[in-house]
Amino acid sequence: MASRNPRARGAAKAGPRPEGQVRRSQVLTTFGPGSLVDFPKHAAIMGGLESWGDPDKEGFQQVFEERLEAVLRAREQNPSLRLFTPPSSPDDPRERARGIAAFEFPEWFVEQPTDARVGEGGFRSRRLLHRRALPSTTHESVVPIRFVRACPNGHISDIDWRGFVHAGAACSQQLFLDERGTSGDLADILVRCTCRMSRSLVDATQKGDQSPLGQCWGEMPWLGGTVPREGEAPACVDEQGKARRNKLLVRAATNAYFPQNVSAISIPAEAGKQALREAVERAWADLESAEGFDDVARELKKAKYKGLSDRFSAADLWAEVQRKKSGVTDKRPGIKAAELETFLATPESAGEDTPETEDFFANALALDSSRTGPMQRISRVVLVHRLREVVVQLGFTRFEAPARDTDYELSLGVRTAPLAREVTWLPAIENRGEGIFLALDPAAVAKWRDRHKVRDREKQLVAGFEAWKKRRLATKARFPGVTYVMLHSLSHLLLTAVSLECGYAASSIRERVYLDGDRCGILLFTGTPDAEGTLGGLVQVGKKLGHHLDAALELGRLCSNDPVCAQHHPDHAHEERFLHGAACHGCLLGSEPSCEWSNELLDRALVVDTVEDSGAAFFAES
């Protein structure tokens, strides 16, 4: 997929030369609309969906996942919303390059002189220049400045450097960036004007009403067009209606861009229904206006639908059109709820193991009725030989990741920024891989949750959650329950233990936690959009799950940071680890791409007995 970089904001010239290429999957994780990237000679912000072109005219590949589409259409209040993969570059280099436009950002540069200029106090001094002030020819190179300003609503813009140095006063003299030392610490950086005014960059870190970076006016340069000036657009406000102030943001920092993604695992539809549904979806532009069987039959006579008429009868197609018009989708509620029911109902085989049906194939493992130890609390193991995951990007945030509970996004004092001015479609990718699902015994879960020690531990976790809500202004957040925290912690322990033998790195394995009352389970899976088939390592893990479960529980009993880790209190105000019980980088925290909750809501004391011995362990030693 090519990325092109119009120098000026607005429409790109026909046939721009691509600046570089990225993988399609990277668009949804790293280089999506609004992300900040560095090109060989300048920096840019990736353009919104309008700059990608028309999906129908450009020939984007459509992605089908009915359950996920139904949820997203309701969320966006757009019944015709569709999913497409990011555009791909044509093989013929003579064709106009397709891809994502990248608008130049920031527009302030720092010169890179060939000779070192050291002034008073040992400062290295470099000129600070706006794009419009750059000479057309120069022997000195420049680099984009690494500091910009942004707000928690995702808006971003260049810092008003003149206003910052002069506290709002007007001055047109030359600006300099003075740096001391090699650490790059903000305390060692001064912004100086030849009028003798200067200011430390540390001042830009002041928060709230004290921020000298000014009020946010809702700038969204990734959507192209002219950036609104102060007073030309409504002020940006928070959830309480208070005007937002800009915050300092380092372009290359990890908190500059957090994609908000949602995903679904494709599950078997009724026999023969999935192909019919996809066929109707592809022909929906013509079939949507059909009012009866005769209209469908007439459409099937068109040459472009010859393959469709050979595979399906007009009666079947009309029935599917009626179902689609009625808005009726899978009767199983919720994305995860439907997946959980599928795994819990999986017989010795689910799906058809043929080259034509690659979306889902799994079989339940027969468990020994005389099993002992921790495996007594496992009620079901499903080996998922093949699965298909559809991942969709909804938006993005800055400063804070879009944390969520098991099904719903939480308010964190940050707001999801849009991918387009008007969202008519969303970018999506398909991952294909394998996995292993295990379910806990519902009776054991119910008995464990009713224990007095477990209720006491839950009160501690809730106290930390409430402290986190207050600190993050997350007024709409709700605690997902002690059972979810236990499942999530068990998932992390098992993922670490499994990665040591299955052939996949821990960062390549992801989790999906399911909870519906006392029915609960964990799916550990891996997948890639670039290859069909996987190593088979996770399926082999399921065949000797008892061994890996024992290893996981052993890992959780003692942490290298004990007793400090085990004795941590979630509501401890100074540590500010409000969503952690007995959890740290020495035991439970892992690769964030693997975790569905950004390494939060973890407590190994709910899984195994620790040195603190809270008495709340689900797998307590007898």
Side-chain angles (χ1 to χ4, degrees):
M1 186 209 73
S3 57
R4 55 188 193 274
N5 188 2
R7 187 168 182 82
R9 294 194 182 130
K13 295 187 298 180
R17 182 178 180 179
E19 293 285 339
Q21 291 186 331
V22 296
R23 300 163 76 93
R24 286 181 175 181
S25 57
Q26 289 178 305
V27 175
L28 272 67
T29 57
T30 309
F31 300 110
S35 62
L36 306 173
V37 297
D38 284 309
F39 289 105
K41 296 182 180 179
H42 38 245
I45 187 167
M46 301 302 282
L49 298 183
E50 289 93 347
S51 69
W52 296 22
D54 187 326
D56 292 313
K57 294 180 180 179
E58 298 286 348
F60 292 9
Q61 179 183 348
Q62 188 171 355
V63 178
F64 301 96
E65 179 51 54
E66 187 180 43
R67 293 184 303 116
L68 187 54
E69 287 174 334
V71 171
L72 296 178
R73 285 167 177 169
R75 179 187 185 274
E76 299 292 335
Q77 297 181 346
N78 182 356
S80 61
L81 182 75
R82 292 179 294 170
L83 310 178
F84 290 93
T85 60
S88 61
S89 299
D91 295 331
D92 189 344
R94 294 173 298 179
E95 294 184 29
R96 183 180 67 85
R98 295 194 298 265
I100 301 174
F103 301 101
E104 186 173 64
F105 181 84
E107 296 189 341
W108 281 88
F109 294 81
V110 179
E111 70 172 351
Q112 296 284 73
T114 55
D115 59 323
R117 303 174 185 176
V118 180
E120 296 181 5
F123 282 98
R124 295 184 306 279
S125 185
R126 298 182 294 168
R127 287 192 301 167
L128 188 60
L129 303 167
H130 190 271
R131 178 173 61 84
R132 292 190 294 269
L134 293 177
S136 57
T137 60
T138 178
H139 296 294
E140 295 177 330
S141 61
V142 295
V143 294
I145 193 165
R146 59 191 177 102
F147 305 105
V148 294
R149 63 183 183 181
C151 88
N153 286 349
H155 305 132
I156 193 169
S157 63
D158 273 294
I159 294 175
D160 179 6
W161 292 107
R162 298 190 184 280
F164 174 73
V165 174
H166 302 93
C171 181
S172 59
Q173 298 190 44
Q174 180 61 55
L175 296 178
F176 290 85
L177 198 68
D178 296 342
E179 297 178 83
R180 179 173 55 193
T182 59
S183 66
D185 189 270
L186 298 183
D188 294 333
I189 302 177
L190 289 176
V191 183
R192 175 177 56 86
C193 181
T194 52
C195 72
R196 296 185 180 276
M197 292 288 290
S198 65
R199 193 169 190 177
S200 172
L201 204 56
V202 169
D203 292 349
T205 62
Q206 299 180 52
K207 299 179 180 180
D209 296 336
Q210 302 300 317
S211 173
L213 299 183
Q215 187 173 341
C216 176
W217 295 94
E219 297 95 335
M220 295 184 287
W222 66 92
L223 298 183
T226 303
V227 177
R229 297 182 181 275
E230 185 172 330
E232 294 181 357
C236 177
V237 297
D238 59 19
E239 294 179 345
Q240 287 75 38
K242 184 179 179 181
R244 290 279 194 190
R245 302 285 293 184
N246 282 303
K247 300 169 63 177
L248 182 69
L249 180 66
V250 180
R251 289 192 298 109
T254 56
N255 67 344
Y257 189 77
F258 296 99
Q260 182 193 20
N261 295 336
V262 63
S263 65
I265 303 295
S266 295
I267 58 177
E270 298 176 34
K273 292 294 184 181
Q274 186 63 27
L276 176 62
R277 292 177 182 181
E278 291 188 7
V280 170
E281 184 71 32
R282 289 190 175 94
W284 189 243
D286 292 324
L287 296 180
E288 183 179 13
S289 59
E291 296 181 354
F293 174 88
D294 293 337
D295 293 336
V296 173
R298 186 165 50 253
E299 292 294 336
L300 290 180
K301 294 179 181 178
K302 294 181 179 179
K304 63 179 179 179
Y305 292 133
K306 184 179 185 306
L308 191 63
S309 60
D310 291 343
R311 296 171 59 197
F312 306 104
S313 67
D316 289 340
L317 289 169
W318 170 237
E320 175 59 21
V321 168
Q322 288 180 299
R323 186 198 66 81
K324 186 173 175 60
K325 282 186 174 182
S326 68
V328 175
T329 58
D330 201 315
K331 296 181 179 179
R332 292 170 286 189
I335 294 176
K336 281 192 170 182
E339 296 169 14
L340 177 61
E341 288 188 13
T342 298
F343 288 126
L344 293 179
T346 300
E348 292 187 0
S349 64
E352 186 178 355
D353 188 13
T354 65
E356 290 77 20
T357 55
E358 299 175 342
D359 289 351
F360 190 90
F361 176 66
N363 63 277
L365 189 67
L367 298 179
D368 188 351
S369 59
S370 62
R371 61 188 183 277
T372 59
M375 283 299 294
Q376 288 180 300
R377 294 174 174 264
I378 304 298
S379 62
R380 170 173 283 262
V381 176
V382 177
L383 308 179
V384 187
H385 301 269
R386 283 201 298 272
L387 61 78
R388 169 181 177 259
E389 178 198 26
V390 176
V391 184
V392 180
Q393 184 178 6
L394 305 178
F396 65 90
T397 62
R398 306 196 195 277
F399 297 110
E400 295 282 350
R404 57 205 177 277
D405 64 13
T406 52
D407 282 307
Y408 305 98
E409 178 190 356
L410 293 180
S411 172
L412 280 177
V414 294
R415 187 179 303 168
T416 301
L419 301 180
R421 296 188 183 278
E422 183 180 357
V423 177
T424 59
W425 63 278
L426 289 170
I429 58 170
E430 297 174 283
N431 291 322
R432 296 184 184 275
E434 61 166 326
I436 174 178
F437 172 84
L438 61 95
L440 301 187
D441 182 3
V445 171
K447 184 177 180 180
W448 165 81
R449 196 180 56 248
D450 289 338
R451 282 159 49 185
H452 177 70
K453 293 287 187 178
V454 174
R455 291 197 295 268
D456 289 344
R457 188 66 175 178
E458 182 173 27
K459 291 178 182 178
Q460 297 177 23
L461 294 170
V462 170
F465 191 82
E466 292 299 321
W468 172 80
K469 285 176 57 177
K470 183 177 180 181
R471 184 67 57 91
R472 291 287 193 268
L473 301 177
T475 56
K476 299 179 182 179
R478 60 181 177 87
F479 185 65
V482 68
T483 306
Y484 180 86
V485 180
M486 183 270 289
L487 281 168
H488 192 204
S489 304
L490 173 61
S491 175
H492 276 230
L493 290 172
L494 192 58
L495 189 154
T496 301
V498 162
S499 66
L500 299 177
E501 295 187 27
C502 72
Y504 296 107
S507 58
S508 299
I509 306 173
R510 287 182 291 140
E511 67 178 2
R512 204 163 174 87
V513 180
Y514 300 93
L515 178 62
D516 181 16
D518 293 332
R519 302 191 311 164
C520 56
I522 300 166
L523 173 67
L524 299 182
F525 70 103
T526 186
T528 172
D530 301 308
E532 309 235 352
T534 52
L535 299 176
L538 289 180
V539 171
Q540 294 302 316
V541 161
K543 296 178 180 179
K544 50 179 182 177
L545 181 63
H547 164 72
H548 293 285
L549 183 58
D550 289 340
L553 300 181
E554 187 63 29
L555 286 172
R557 290 190 178 95
L558 185 65
C559 173
S560 59
N561 290 322
D562 278 340
V564 175
C565 175
Q567 294 174 351
H568 167 68
H569 291 280
D571 59 347
H572 197 290
H574 296 294
E575 294 186 22
E576 294 191 5
R577 294 196 296 120
F578 301 123
L579 298 183
H580 290 158
C584 70
H585 284 286
C587 52
L588 285 187
L589 274 64
S591 172
E592 289 204 6
S594 301
C595 179
E596 71 173 14
W597 235 103
S598 301
N599 270 333
E600 304 285 14
L601 290 176
L602 294 167
D603 182 14
R604 59 190 169 92
L606 294 174
V607 182
V608 293
D609 293 323
T610 66
V611 295
E612 183 67 7
D613 191 17
S614 65
F618 180 76
F619 294 96
E621 293 182 302
S622 56

